[in-house]
Amino acid sequence: MTRLRLLLLPLLILAAALSITWLVWDHERQSSRKALRSQFDFALREASSRVDQRMAAYEQMLRGVQGLFAASGKMDRHSFRDYVGSLQLDANFAGIEAIGVAEWVPAARYSAHLDAMRRLGGGAYAIRPGGPRDAFAPVIQVEPRAMGDRSPLGFDPWSDPVRRLAMEKARDSGMPAITGKTQLALDNEAQPGFVMYLPIFERGYALSSVSARRDHLVGWVFAAFRMQDLMASLYGEQLPGLKLAIYDGVDASAAALLYQSDELSDRRSPSALAANEYLVVAGHSWMLSLSTRSDFEARYGRNSEALIAVAGTGLSLLLALLAWMLVTGRARATRLAITMTRELRASEQRWGFALEGAGDGVWDWNLQTRETVNSRRLQEIVGADDHDGDSIDRWEQRIHPDDMEKYRDSMQTYLAAAPDASVSCVAEYRIRTGDGRWKWILSRGMVVERDAEGRPLRIIGTLTDIGDRKRMEEQVRQLAFHDPLTNLPNRRLLSDRLSQAMAVSQRTGRYGALMFLDLDNFKPLNDRYGHEVGDLLLIEAADRLKRCVREIDTVTRFGGDEFVVMIRELETLSAESCAEAGRIAEKIRSALSQPYFLTIRRGAAAHQIVEHQCTASIGLALFIGQEATQDDILKRADTAMYQAKVAGRDRVHLAPQSLFNGAGAASTWPHSSAFRVSAGHDRP
Amino acid sequence: MTRRILFFLLLVFAALGRDAVAGPDCSRPLTLALHEHGLLYSADTDSGIDKDFADELIRRSGCKIKVSVMPRSRIWQLIESGALDFSLSGITNAERERFAAFAWYFSNKYYLLIRKDSGVTRLVDFERSELFQLGVIRSFRYSESANRLVDNLLASNRVSQASGLAPLYQALLLNHIQGMIIEPFDTPVLEERKIREITTLVEFNDPTVAHGLIMSKKALPPAEQKKWRALVDEMRADGSVRRIFAKYFKPDLAAAMTDFQAAP
């Protein structure tokens, strides 16, 4: 139904446009026909007028001959010849075959007429056809004079019904009259012709009535015409593409055909125009028949109907198509929008699912208004109550101050870079969550909209919670650089820090010190109570060591019951530094020598407290700048520790300044070291 | 004194009176053309209403008028150009008023002569049927609805033109045309019976149309036209016109044709 309604308007427009095309086409067709018709009518009028005028001219000419007799009152052969000679009947009057005189001879005057004619020189003169008749009208003179057998002299036209009719008509009316179609007496071949008669009356009589005219008839002057020649001599030109025929009478029969302009060609167009015009020529009816041939229409028609029809139909179809497109445009656009929206929604859902599945949040920053739109997941990650409408500035306020520089660097570097869709901005930083904690996040962003000059307008990105990863990394780092039992830095970290300390010492000129510690009396505890208890002691010892030094100093478990303590930034003078280091070493020795109460857990509730006395032998070595290598310094401290051991344990032995500086400067702080087990001091 | 004044006044009135009744200017030979048309004029017998009227007019005017016979279309052409002074039995229309003046002397109705076998009895049928062909004489005009019929049929190529009445009758007899417009004086002398047998008459529902002496405005100044008109009116008034018509028609038809209210 809707589809039908959508089709209705284009169909109406098509119908209207086609109707207009039809109207224009029809109008053009009518106009064209009218123009053609008008051209044809003109040609018909022209043709009949030319024939009329020509015949009027001949009539007038014959009246001249009649006038000759009227003037002289007698039939003078010489005057007649001269007169006709002076008419100069050249090609202009090609239609006239002969001009002659026929004398009216009633039967009573037959013999007298023959005698008179023979006297005039026509010895063989006879009236043809012969035989008795009431009256005769023999031709007594013809100009130009005809020669040979076909001489018309003596021929009696009165004996021919066709000629006689015209002669009677001329006699009774006193006017010119022409015969119907006939063959001229001069012609051997059957050529259509006719004869025009004009009566000659006796001079001096009133001729107002038919009877008076009959009574005073003397004869006729006549002109014989060949139709073909007459038509050829007409003035003016016939329009091309027309077929002209002239018939004797009003019937278009072959027998009555006087003239035909175009015998061979009979190509009539389907829309041929044809008309008959009836002419009254010298009292006789002719029918002029004019019809068009196919080339008439081509020549005078406008021939633009087909063009109008094709162009109009084409335009109508285009218009209807345009209308259909306009009408259905909205529907098609809506369908397209629905499809696109559905696809977009599906795409969004896929992406949303993917992002949610990955645990990522999505942010959308407008760099012009500095407004941000955050996904629900992003808000969960940062634990913010903020909804859409948060700003970039408020976000940046939440960034950890230590990470701010890194964040700004990466952002500014990215935004300042040349527009390249394949590059994205990546930054890891800490953000303050809603409950005030810091959370590591990974932010990836990409510019999605730029102004005409390529400046970024909008940036969209994802936010990933990388807290777990960071913690993992920290653990790995811890495991790599710390002793898992005591959580003290291991040898690798010591080496690192020693390098730093040496570099600082080099810069500040202050001494640093390295103590190598070995717990005395540790192995028996292990042997008696096992490694677990030994470990407890090591843990306790590590705690005591840490408590004895500053934050900037480093306590390292070097392996087994060996520890290394590095003291930084002592004094600039060797002696003072040595004294300071010695004090710290002594403090350590003292702390470590205090009894240890170690709780051994057995099962869920039972435990045993082991008391153990343990001391430490400490080798102390000073260092400054990069004078010695790490190995040298460790070696010196180790050696000093060994010497402390040898010297009786529980003492501090200062290594000489350099391994190769001799041992004379070394000093020892001897103390006794023993351990005892406080058995039965189990704690619940 | 009084006698002299009276004599003078008598002279003035006589002069005025002579001027008022003075005939037309005959100082040059005038021309009048007849056209062959039924009872109006037949060349075969050199007689007819127009011929009689022309003779009477020539006699009364005392002018030398050369009478000739030519097709009607040629007559109008010559009247317009001024080469011809007079013709007879003309009717007017807006176009002819431009170049011709008239002196009315009879009035008649127009009829449509239709072949009985055409099956048409009303004017509308004739116009609707595409097979029917109408025969008219070129340049002839008729009454209003007859003119309308001719113009409509001309536009649809259904008119055969002729320069005389005779071939139209022949064409009608041969069924080449199915109808023609005629006037009371168109009854052909020779073929009256033959025509009457196969045809029927339909009258145009128009008022009668006045016919008159046609005068070329180019050839005759208004004053001359007025004189010729006075002459024609005189012929009507003294019954000459009716007498001429009575020669050719029954007395009542002659009276009906000649007794009409001429337009001013």
Side-chain angles (χ1 to χ4, degrees), chain A residues 326-342:
Chain A
L326 284 175
V327 167
T328 57
R330 190 184 151 82
R332 282 183 293 120
T334 309
R335 272 204 300 277
L336 188 66
I338 289 170
T339 308
M340 284 175 72
T341 307
R342 194 184 297 131

Side-chain angles (χ1 to χ4, degrees), chain A residues 13 42 45 49 72 129 227 243 266 301 308 319 350 402 404 433 436 444 458 464 470 495 541 550 584 598:
Chain A
I13 286 172
F42 173 77
R45 199 162 63 245
S49 166
S72 64
M227 197 64 194
K243 183 179 168 184
D266 197 23
I308 288 172
L319 204 60
R350 277 196 296 276
D402 292 351
M404 196 61 191
T433 61
R444 287 194 191 88
R458 194 166 153 234
T464 311
K470 281 286 179 188
S495 171
R550 296 167 301 177
I584 295 168
L598 307 168

Side-chain angles (χ1 to χ4, degrees), chain A residues 96-260:
Chain A
I96 296 182
E97 204 56 30
I99 295 177
V101 184
E103 190 179 340
W104 174 242
V105 182
R109 287 208 308 114
Y110 179 75
S111 302
H113 170 74
L114 283 182
D115 291 345
M117 286 302 291
R118 284 171 183 161
R119 267 202 309 276
L120 284 170
Y125 177 82
I127 293 177
R128 305 190 307 270
R133 291 191 288 277
D134 290 347
F136 305 87
V139 175
I140 58 168
Q141 189 174 2
V142 172
E143 296 296 338
R145 195 179 295 181
M147 310 297 285
D149 295 343
R150 299 301 297 179
S151 170
L153 287 183
F155 171 69
D156 180 11
W158 192 259
S159 65
D160 172 25
V162 175
R163 286 177 170 82
R164 181 173 172 164
L165 195 67
M167 292 167 96
E168 285 174 348
K169 204 168 184 178
R171 177 196 64 193
D172 292 348
S173 64
M175 308 283 277
I178 62 168
T179 65
K181 181 183 175 184
T182 186
Q183 186 185 343
L184 300 183
L186 292 163
D187 284 340
N188 292 320
E189 297 166 19
Q191 285 195 52
F194 64 93
V195 185
M196 179 187 281
Y197 291 96
L198 196 60
I200 311 167
F201 298 107
E202 284 180 85
R203 194 178 179 191
Y205 293 97
L207 303 165
S208 55
S209 68
V210 173
S211 57
R213 287 192 278 268
R214 284 181 181 177
D215 291 346
H216 301 290
L217 181 75
V218 173
W220 292 265
V221 289
F222 65 87
F225 298 88
R226 275 204 195 110
M227 197 64 194
Q228 199 70 32
D229 296 341
L230 181 136
M231 292 304 289
S233 72
L234 289 186
Y235 281 103
E237 282 181 14
Q238 184 180 304
L239 291 180
L242 289 171
K243 183 179 168 184
L244 175 69
I246 296 177
Y247 296 90
D248 183 24
V250 297
D251 198 12
S253 65
L257 183 66
L258 278 170
Y259 168 79
Q260 195 167 16

Side-chain angles (χ1 to χ4, degrees), chain A residues 590-657:
Chain A
S590 172
L592 291 180
S593 63
Q594 297 301 313
Y596 293 87
F597 298 98
L598 307 168
T599 305
I600 304 165
R601 300 189 182 280
R602 302 187 191 283
H607 61 273
Q608 179 190 357
I609 295 173
V610 174
E611 184 182 354
H612 185 67
Q613 195 69 40
C614 184
T615 59
S617 298
I618 302 170
L620 174 64
L622 289 180
F623 63 88
I624 184 158
Q626 311 282 357
E627 277 183 352
T629 65
Q630 287 191 14
D631 287 344
D632 287 344
I633 298 165
L634 275 168
K635 183 88 176 166
R636 277 164 48 209
D638 186 31
T639 306
M641 185 277 290
Y642 182 72
Q643 286 173 348
K645 283 267 186 196
V646 171
R649 300 179 174 180
D650 191 21
R651 66 192 64 220
V652 177
H653 194 91
L654 179 65
Q657 192 72 8

Side-chain angles (χ1 to χ4, degrees), chain B residues 166-185:
Chain B
L168 286 183
Y169 281 119
Q170 292 170 28
L172 189 72
L173 282 169
L174 289 169
N175 204 12
H176 292 173
I177 59 172
Q178 285 71 41
M180 53 190 282
I181 297 168
I182 61 163
E183 294 170 81
F185 42 79

Side-chain angles (χ1 to χ4, degrees), chain A residues 37 41 44-45 48 52-53 169 172-173 175 210 213 249-252 273-280 283 285 287, chain B residues 36 41 43-46 69 71 74 138 154-155 157 159-168 170-171 174 176-177:
Chain A
R37 175 82 214 164
D41 283 345
L44 180 64
R45 199 162 63 245
S48 65
D52 256 345
Q53 284 172 22
K169 204 168 184 178
D172 292 348
S173 64
M175 308 283 277
V210 173
R213 287 192 278 268
V250 297
D251 198 12
L273 292 168
N276 297 331
E277 172 128 2
Y278 305 105
L279 301 177
V280 180
S285 293
M287 186 173 79
Chain B
E36 283 205 85
Y41 179 70
D44 290 349
T45 57
D46 189 24
V69 182
R74 179 86 179 139
R138 194 178 277 285
L154 259 177
N157 191 23
V159 172
S160 292
Q161 310 247 18
S163 56
L165 199 60
L168 286 183
Q170 292 170 28
L174 289 169
H176 292 173
I177 59 172

